[in-house]
Amino acid sequence: MLRRIRTTKKLAKRMDLQYFTQPHPFRSWRLWLSVLVPVVAVVWFAALRAHGQKVYSSGPLSKSHAVFAKRCDVCHVTTLGFFRAKVSDSACLKCHDAPAHQIDRVAFTPACGSCHLEHKGSLRLASTADSSCTQCHADLHTRTGSPQYVREISDFDNEHPEFAVLRPGGKDPGQVKLNHYAHLRPNLPGPDGPVQMDCQDCHRLTGMEGNWPYAAQTMPPLKPVTAGASADMRPSRSRDYMSPILYATQCAGCHVKDLQFDKRFEQSAPHDKPEVVQAFLLQKYSEYFASHPGALSEPVAPERILPGKFKLPLPVPHNRQEWMDQQVMLADRLLFDKGCKLCHVMIETNAPLPTVAPSSIPARWLLHADFSHNSHRLLTCVACHNRTPESRETADILLPGVASCRSCHQERGPKQDAASGNCSECHSYHDWKREQPIKGKYLIPQLQAAR
Amino acid sequence: MRIDETHRKWFIGSLVGLAVAVVVYVPYSRSSPQGAGGGTTMGLIYGSVAFAFMIFAGLLGARKKVPIWRLGRAQAWMRGHLWLGFVSFPLIVLHSGFHFGVGLTKALMWLFAVVFVSGIVGAVLQHFMPRITTQRIPLETIYEQIGRVRLQLMEEAISLVDEAYALLHGDVSQANEQQRAASASAGTMGGLTVASGMQVDEEASAELKQFFQGEIQPFLAQSGSHGHVLADRNRAQAMFRQLRTLLPPNLHSTVDDLENICEEKREIDQQARYHRVLHGWLLVHIPASYALLILGAVHAVMALRY
């Protein structure tokens, strides 16, 4: 029979009431591990920091800087063993000569890092936030007083002003007479019969000219005209611009007949300065006189006589000089008063020969912004230049307005299923014309090696 | 802590919060050009909230150290620890955009995974084990006193065996009333000849001595009883049954007591095993949590600064 009877009192007497004050292996283990594991973690962190730079959780670098992601010291200065978070402008300027913006006008120049935010992923670093621009342009003040640009621009959707050339008073600086409506009509007389012209017959991106359909049949040696030839163009964005309009490539195929000066010659007058044309005529008539003994008795063809310009009959030439003067005078008048004037503005002066006004066709219309035709190549030309087919006046400015841009570009961009409307999409802060070459400082292994 | 209906509000609140976080994450992730990540605004929000939850969960230890603080009931803190800690891990996964990263962030994610899994295991154990322990161990004692109780059982067993020796060697003065009454009977029990009266039975004495010194004493002296023959209840019962046949009836009550002592020893051994299971996860969870909080703070400072 069981004699052991456990009463609560008996069980309680077994206990040491101060047991919780005494060490116990389980509690001791818990305490020591609670100290040891964090210490090991901290030591591990210190070792990791000493042998690498993966402890900073700095976020991914932009695409252009990703190659030296392991070299924090390329940009960050070390202080007390830790990298300083702020990057000085001098670190950026080691590799980038980024000329300051309107240096003689702006009230202040922000630090590089305040606009170009790194460690935000593989974004285009030049694509700065609008706030970087609107911090000044929302209420523009300059050191010189009144700004020459619109004072208040705080967003693209509502406050971006119309392009300057489209504002009242703006005008086309071009001096070449062109009727787009006439050129886009069907059945135009082309070099080989009736043609229907298209925008791309005359307007193509630089670098992709190919065979111009209306180029001269025998192309004279052309001056090399490439992107960057104009001061308005930036070489780095060669495909953004349209190839310049040249007589030889875009006009000559059809308009060569407008430079014909005499049926006795198959060759037309050169498309060049009046002095060159004059010399060409002298040479041609001199050669003709030498090869045609009866030239003095030849009558003047009626089509060479411009109505109202001469009193008929013309005096009969008695010698070579009189004949030469008369022929060249008639050719000059036919060309300078008719052929050239079809497209050019001729300036009459007291000089024996007129002056041709510079064509002044702008290579860039938006001088304070960058526009890439190449990026917009999926659109038809008239999608933006919608007034072109009906334009009959040379003075018509066919540049699309900002409203046309807004039909696709919006402030919030992709978030609204629209193209980006950020300032940096079109505008560049830095004055790249003043950019200076940079002398590199690193070897490839130096950039890739971990510190 | 048992997860019962008192957790319902915490449970629903946690699930709703987590669902909101996931619902917000989907458009955020799709609209982020670089994908979701800790450095984005939403990523920072997820990370900040999760870290705040982690700190709250970590403060449970401090709250336990100072139980007299009037900062809410301990049970409320425990529920908060359980559910906010539970939610914080998915939030950190959303914060990271389902990436483990490299270096410090990778270590943090693994550390948090260890803390999270050990916490889940602990919560499950804390839910089921106490009831199992109560059912299976009626003689449950204070865990820290198990060693002390074991020594007391040993002393008690030695005392019983000394009494039995005295009886077997004729020292009636140490016999109790029951033993004196049993000593009057003699003869056959169950077909076996048993010792009778207060006769000295050297063989029985030797058997008792051998059994006590060979089996009972080592069993009681051993902390834990893995592999010992008396650790098996069935085998122990068979052995004690055999011992009874070898001892005179007046000592059967002593054998019963010895068997009872061994039974109690088995229970406290089992309690010790249960306790190690029930609290062993804390040896992983708590140290890892401290390391996580420290490295998490370092990560937060580093990430926000750089």
Side-chain angles (χ1 to χ4, degrees):
Chain A
M1 186 178 178
L2 187 65
R3 293 171 301 148
R4 295 186 75 233
I5 300 171
R6 298 180 196 82
T7 63
T8 307
K9 189 174 181 180
K10 280 184 178 177
L11 291 174
K13 281 184 177 177
R14 284 177 168 182
M15 304 302 156
D16 175 8
L17 298 180
Q18 298 299 314
Y19 73 90
F20 54 86
T21 62
Q22 295 164 4
H24 186 272
F26 185 83
R27 288 205 302 270
S28 298
W29 270 105
R30 204 170 64 187
L31 174 65
W32 281 109
L33 284 173
S34 298
V35 172
L36 189 64
V37 172
V39 166
V40 168
V42 170
V43 169
W44 170 83
F45 169 77
L48 189 67
R49 208 206 71 75
H51 292 96
Q53 297 167 353
K54 294 179 179 178
V55 297
Y56 287 94
S57 305
S58 53
L61 286 172
S62 62
K63 286 178 181 174
S64 49
H65 291 163
V67 68
F68 47 87
K70 295 176 182 173
R71 288 294 309 268
C72 305
D73 56 316
V74 169
C75 302
H76 295 274
V77 176
T78 309
T79 305
L80 298 175
F82 284 87
F83 291 109
R84 294 183 66 184
K86 189 176 180 182
V87 173
S88 65
D89 285 357
S90 60
C92 305
L93 294 172
K94 279 193 297 186
C95 301
H96 304 274
D97 182 66
H101 176 71
Q102 304 282 0
I103 189 67
D104 50 344
R105 295 194 183 94
V106 295
F108 88 106
T109 298
C112 305
S114 69
C115 300
H116 301 290
L117 299 179
E118 247 306 358
H119 298 292
K120 295 290 182 187
S122 56
L123 299 168
R124 197 168 67 93
L125 207 55
S127 181
T128 55
D130 285 358
S131 57
S132 299
C133 305
T134 56
Q135 63 178 324
C136 292
H137 282 274
D139 184 14
L140 190 60
H141 292 280
T142 64
R143 286 190 298 186
T144 54
S146 179
Q148 67 182 95
Y149 305 111
V150 175
R151 181 187 288 273
E152 295 177 357
I153 307 173
S154 58
D155 69 359
F156 175 73
D157 291 351
N158 302 306
E159 294 197 3
H160 192 290
E162 183 54 276
F163 302 136
V165 72
L166 294 175
R167 288 180 222 156
K171 64 176 184 178
D172 185 348
Q175 296 286 333
V176 172
K177 303 165 191 169
L178 184 87
N179 184 333
H180 280 93
Y181 170 78
H183 279 79
L184 291 172
R185 278 185 307 170
N187 298 319
L188 283 182
D192 301 315
V195 294
Q196 168 66 65
M197 291 187 73
D198 185 67
C199 303
Q200 292 193 338
D201 292 338
C202 300
H203 302 286
R204 294 183 186 179
L205 301 181
T206 51
M208 55 190 303
E209 289 89 347
N211 293 322
W212 294 98
Y214 302 111
Q217 289 181 346
T218 53
M219 289 284 284
L222 294 175
K223 296 173 186 175
V225 179
T226 56
S230 166
D232 292 341
M233 291 188 180
R234 281 173 51 191
S236 62
R237 304 189 66 166
S238 60
R239 283 208 161 191
D240 294 350
Y241 307 115
M242 285 296 172
S243 187
I245 300 294
L246 298 176
Y247 169 82
T249 51
Q250 285 115 310
C251 311
C254 301
H255 287 280
V256 68
K257 62 180 182 295
D258 295 313
L259 296 182
Q260 285 185 334
F261 57 94
D262 194 329
K263 280 192 170 179
R264 290 172 288 183
F265 301 97
E266 285 188 6
Q267 191 176 5
S268 300
H271 183 266
D272 213 319
K273 294 176 183 175
E275 293 79 8
V276 177
V277 173
Q278 185 78 353
F280 171 82
L281 294 175
L282 285 171
Q283 181 190 351
K284 283 295 174 186
Y285 282 114
S286 177
E287 291 170 359
Y288 184 86
F289 191 87
S291 59
H292 293 77
L296 283 174
S297 57
E298 290 177 2
V300 177
E303 67 272 11
R304 299 186 66 203
I305 307 300
L306 289 177
K309 290 289 179 183
F310 305 104
K311 292 178 181 177
L312 292 176
L314 287 168
V316 176
H318 296 96
N319 53 38
R320 177 183 177 277
Q321 188 58 47
E322 286 181 4
W323 183 85
M324 287 282 292
D325 289 346
Q326 191 179 73
Q327 298 302 317
V328 171
M329 182 265 298
L330 286 171
D332 278 351
R333 295 307 170 197
L334 189 62
L335 290 171
F336 298 145
D337 288 349
K338 185 182 177 189
C340 298
K341 276 189 172 176
L342 184 67
C343 303
H344 291 282
V345 175
M346 306 302 289
I347 303 169
E348 299 291 346
T349 63
N350 293 330
L353 293 175
T355 304
V356 183
S359 56
S360 301
I361 300 173
R364 287 177 64 195
W365 284 90
L366 305 173
L367 297 180
H368 301 299
D370 290 314
F371 178 82
S372 170
H373 278 96
N374 194 35
S375 300
H376 294 79
R377 61 187 178 277
L378 78 165
L379 296 172
T380 65
C381 301
V382 294
C384 301
H385 299 278
N386 52 4
R387 288 171 296 175
T388 303
E390 300 302 322
S391 168
R392 298 163 195 257
E393 300 296 328
T394 304
D396 289 344
I397 299 174
L398 302 176
L399 178 75
V402 71
S404 175
C405 303
R406 285 187 182 124
S407 59
C408 293
H409 291 267
Q410 292 180 26
E411 186 79 18
R412 298 189 66 198
K415 293 177 181 174
Q416 291 181 329
D417 295 334
S420 170
N422 288 346
C423 306
S424 60
E425 197 71 17
C426 302
H427 296 282
S428 179
Y429 171 85
H430 298 287
D431 185 0
W432 292 111
K433 288 177 185 171
R434 296 166 55 197
E435 183 182 14
Q436 297 295 315
I438 289 290
K439 188 176 181 182
K441 296 176 177 59
Y442 297 98
L443 297 173
I444 294 172
Q446 288 177 318
L447 287 177
Q448 293 176 331
R451 190 173 65 90
Chain B
M1 174 179 230
R2 187 167 171 74
I3 301 171
D4 52 19
E5 60 274 6
T6 61
H7 285 248
R8 182 172 296 170
K9 288 181 182 176
W10 283 98
F11 173 70
I12 293 173
S14 301
L15 280 191
V16 169
L18 194 56
V20 169
V22 171
V23 166
V24 170
Y25 179 84
V26 174
Y28 144 67
S29 175
R30 288 184 175 180
S31 63
S32 300
Q34 302 297 312
T40 63
T41 305
M42 281 304 299
L44 286 173
I45 292 173
Y46 281 128
S48 302
V49 172
F51 192 57
F53 286 176
M54 289 159 65
I55 290 174
F56 176 83
L59 286 174
L60 177 69
R63 175 68 181 84
K64 282 184 173 178
K65 293 288 180 193
V66 192
I68 57 170
W69 277 358
R70 302 182 71 177
L71 292 171
R73 296 173 61 196
Q75 282 193 336
W77 277 80
M78 192 64 212
R79 291 189 193 103
H81 173 91
L82 190 72
W83 292 106
L84 295 183
F86 176 78
V87 169
S88 62
F89 185 69
L91 287 179
I92 285 294
V93 173
L94 298 180
H95 159 71
S96 68
F98 293 89
H99 296 108
F100 264 43
V102 292
L104 179 60
T105 51
K106 192 174 190 176
L108 277 169
M109 289 299 282
W110 279 112
L111 203 53
F112 203 176
V114 169
V115 171
F116 182 70
V117 172
S118 63
I120 296 283
V121 170
V124 171
L125 291 173
Q126 295 280 357
H127 180 77
F128 292 107
M129 288 290 287
R131 178 174 292 184
I132 294 172
T133 305
T134 306
Q135 287 172 346
R136 297 187 181 177
I137 308 170
L139 299 178
E140 182 184 5
T141 186
I142 297 169
Y143 173 73
E144 285 84 351
Q145 293 289 285
I146 282 178
R148 181 182 168 90
V149 170
R150 186 164 45 79
L151 290 176
Q152 289 174 355
L153 291 177
M154 174 71 89
E155 290 171 2
E156 195 177 349
I158 291 171
S159 173
L160 285 169
V161 170
D162 286 347
E163 286 178 12
Y165 282 156
L167 279 173
L168 288 172
H169 290 87
D171 184 359
V172 189
S173 62
Q174 293 183 22
N176 57 35
E177 288 300 319
Q178 287 177 319
Q179 287 169 333
R180 288 172 198 276
S183 67
S185 64
T188 302
M189 285 182 67
L192 291 171
T193 302
V194 299
S196 61
M198 300 299 289
Q199 293 174 346
V200 174
D201 188 330
E202 291 295 336
E203 190 178 348
S205 176
E207 287 289 344
L208 179 60
K209 185 177 181 180
Q210 184 184 350
F211 185 72
F212 180 74
Q213 291 180 345
E215 302 293 345
I216 296 176
Q217 204 166 14
F219 176 62
L220 293 179
Q222 184 181 346
S223 173
S225 53
H226 182 70
H228 199 281
V229 67
L230 291 179
D232 185 329
R233 176 178 280 113
N234 293 330
R235 291 177 67 188
Q237 285 175 347
M239 291 183 77
F240 277 106
R241 198 180 305 123
Q242 181 64 29
L243 182 63
R244 282 190 196 91
T245 62
L246 298 174
L247 296 180
N250 60 329
L251 292 181
H252 285 188
S253 60
T254 302
V255 175
D256 290 343
D257 288 343
L258 288 173
E259 186 176 8
N260 187 253
I261 286 171
C262 289
E263 174 67 21
E264 186 169 351
K265 169 65 168 50
R266 272 196 299 276
E267 288 194 6
I268 62 173
D269 284 344
Q270 193 171 13
Q271 183 192 343
R273 284 197 300 276
Y274 281 6
H275 185 92
R276 283 195 289 273
V277 172
L278 186 58
H279 295 90
W281 61 276
L282 286 171
L283 296 179
V284 174
H285 187 74
I286 292 176
S289 298
Y290 287 145
L292 178 67
L293 285 173
I294 291 171
L295 291 185
V298 169
H299 165 68
V301 171
M302 287 290 198
L304 291 175
R305 181 171 166 75
Y306 295 98

